[in-house]
Amino acid sequence: MSRETQTDQTADADLPGEPGAAALPGALPEGLRAELIAFRRDMHMHPELGNQEFRTTAALKHRLEAAGLAPRVLGTGTGLVCDVGTWDGTRPMLALRADIDALPIPDTKTGVPYRSTVPDRAHACGHDVHTAAVLGAGLVLAGLDRQGLLPNAVRLIFQPAEEVLPGGAADAIADGVLDGVGRIIAVHCDPRVDAGLIGLRHGPITSACDRLEITLDGPGGHTARPHLTTDMVTAVAKVATEVPALLARRVDARSGLAVTWGRIEAGHACNVIPQHAELSGTVRCLDLPAWREAPDLVHAAIDEIATLHHAKTQINYVRGVPPVVNDPVITELLRAAQTARRGSYAIEDTEQSLGGEDFSWYLEHVPGAMARLGVRTPGSQARYDLHRGDFDVDEQAIAVGVELFTAAALIDGNPDGNRL
């Protein structure tokens, strides 16, 4: 069975959850469900990299304006912010955040009509699903607002450049997207979790992620006389293997600080010791204190190992993102929302990931939480991991995201909880 057939045959009623659990208004209309799947597919076919999402921004702006809303394009030229309802300035708004950029990798899926049409570009992290879910939630909430059923204004944030360190969230925040916002929520696709389910966790749910680039220099020479040179290949190999081991003894193991290399380069000929070597990778850790200390610790470890081998170093330590730390109260808001829509059985605990997410920058300003959105077809043996060219989703997850967001907005805006 093709992925397309498998997705289209998965009826929402067959997804995990308790039948009849919906107790709130704002269920997703069938026509809008189909429109959002089509929107996601169009976005998937036309992926755009960070800060280049002009087509995606225009499509979102057009659809929101058609619903009578007034979106504002961000000052960077891509991404937008849009309020649903009229904020009276009393209770701060709840924000729903989506990221809209794609990855610079080829789409290797086969047998689906929505494969990327752009060479070496793919929505391989599910941002198209996140975007469709927030768009759908905005359209549903706009309909409720027209009926007088939206208890408080809600802000939609369609953020560019999540995949570009240190992330487009910082630019969005500088552009005022959090003005008037008191809480923020988001989802992230999880291919290990069945569609219909969400994963929740109090506290850290992602890790910090920084980028590390190192160059080593020294006098090269003939491989017959390594004692007269800086043996650069050995030096770069020692940095690659011993720096992570040294850091493991200088940082509390519970912080999970890990240096992992993605590129190493040295030399061009088998009998020439090179004068130059490069390696680059990422630094990840699970908690904020370790992340704050990481640059100094990493610099010291690199210099220590390189000096032993008489290599001079240049280190470019690029700050990325801190961990996403879910606020317990907002996490419970997501739990209440999913329970109202699909029942308590549609929620599972999730572990902390070593992946990075610039949603964390919003949480430096307001409390919030991110849920893992299940995108695996129930019963499927297929495995579609994030950041792989064959990544795909069960599109019924879009409806789950929409109804999670709308329920959260209704519960959050009503002081009596879900008793509307």
Side-chain angles (χ1 to χ4, degrees):
M1 180 181 292
S2 72
R3 181 68 181 179
E4 179 191 8
T5 304
Q6 186 180 47
T7 298
D8 290 346
Q9 287 185 350
T10 303
D12 185 58
D14 296 331
L15 298 179
E18 295 174 357
L24 296 174
L28 181 62
E30 196 59 39
L32 181 55
R33 182 193 305 261
E35 179 189 348
L36 294 173
I37 290 175
F39 189 96
R40 178 259 170 180
R41 292 188 176 192
D42 181 73
M43 188 175 170
H44 198 89
M45 292 172 66
H46 301 92
E48 297 171 299
L49 298 184
N51 295 316
Q52 300 173 25
E53 312 95 332
F54 297 103
R55 185 184 187 277
T56 302
T57 298
L60 288 165
K61 184 173 183 289
H62 175 76
R63 185 62 184 92
L64 292 167
E65 288 177 340
L69 300 173
R72 174 178 66 86
V73 177
L74 300 181
T76 53
T78 63
L80 40 77
V81 60
C82 181
D83 289 351
V84 181
T86 302
W87 185 49
D88 63 8
T90 54
R91 178 170 170 77
M93 288 179 282
L94 175 72
L96 317 179
R97 176 267 198 174
D99 36 11
I100 64 175
D101 58 324
L103 284 162
I105 63 175
D107 190 335
T108 60
K109 291 189 294 297
T110 59
V112 296
Y114 48 85
R115 182 177 174 177
S116 172
T117 61
V118 184
D120 299 320
R121 303 287 186 268
H123 270 292
C125 201
H127 294 186
D128 50 344
V129 174
H130 309 163
T131 300
V134 172
L135 172 62
L139 297 176
V140 171
L141 292 171
L144 293 177
D145 184 51
R146 288 191 293 270
Q147 301 173 55
L149 295 176
L150 185 63
N152 194 38
V154 176
R155 176 158 295 166
L156 315 178
I157 300 172
F158 297 94
Q159 177 214 303
E162 190 277 331
E163 299 287 354
V164 181
L165 289 178
D171 289 333
I173 293 166
D175 202 356
V177 300
L178 292 182
D179 295 347
V181 168
R183 298 155 302 287
I184 188 168
I185 57 176
V187 296
H188 198 294
C189 290
D190 192 334
R192 303 164 301 171
V193 177
D194 283 351
L197 303 178
I198 65 167
L200 294 178
R201 176 184 174 89
H202 287 188
I205 192 171
T206 70
S207 82
C209 180
D210 299 333
R211 187 171 75 243
L212 180 60
E213 300 166 342
I214 308 169
T215 61
L216 303 177
D217 290 286
H222 202 294
T223 56
R225 292 177 289 277
H227 59 290
L228 301 180
T229 72
T230 292
D231 188 350
M232 192 58 65
V233 173
T234 297
V236 73
K238 289 294 186 180
V239 169
T241 57
E242 294 185 13
V243 165
L246 186 60
L247 288 168
R249 292 296 178 267
R250 294 185 174 175
V251 180
D252 190 328
R254 291 171 295 183
S255 72
L257 191 147
V259 176
T260 306
W261 308 109
R263 185 181 71 89
I264 185 167
E265 183 176 340
H268 300 284
C270 67
N271 61 345
V272 177
I273 294 175
Q275 300 179 33
H276 182 79
E278 298 178 359
L279 70 163
S280 57
T282 59
V283 181
R284 300 177 187 270
C285 55
L286 300 177
D287 62 55
L288 278 169
W291 181 68
R292 293 188 175 111
E293 296 176 4
D296 290 341
L297 292 170
V298 171
H299 272 78
I302 293 168
D303 286 339
E304 188 172 327
I305 301 301
T307 299
L308 288 175
H309 298 274
H310 308 290
K312 296 180 180 179
T313 63
Q314 288 186 330
I315 303 169
N316 183 26
Y317 193 108
V318 182
R319 267 306 200 193
V321 294
V324 172
V325 182
N326 280 351
D327 179 83
V329 174
I330 311 303
T331 303
E332 290 307 305
L333 170 64
L334 290 170
R335 185 182 304 277
Q338 181 73 346
T339 299
R341 292 299 191 201
R342 295 185 174 268
S344 58
Y345 294 119
I347 303 168
E348 60 180 44
D349 294 333
T350 191
E351 60 189 11
Q352 184 176 5
S353 164
L354 277 170
E357 235 289 353
D358 78 348
F359 183 70
S360 55
W361 290 123
Y362 297 104
L363 306 187
E364 297 283 299
H365 301 269
V366 296
M370 172 174 281
R372 301 208 182 279
L373 180 67
V375 296
R376 181 177 63 195
T377 298
S380 171
Q381 298 303 310
R383 293 292 180 266
Y384 301 95
D385 202 4
L386 300 171
H387 287 222
R388 268 181 24 180
D390 65 348
F391 175 75
D392 207 352
V393 303
D394 186 319
E395 292 171 313
Q396 301 304 327
I398 297 171
V400 180
V402 170
E403 295 189 355
L404 174 72
F405 283 136
T406 55
L410 292 170
I411 294 170
D412 176 75
N414 186 355
D416 293 325
N418 64 358
R419 297 187 296 276
L420 294 181

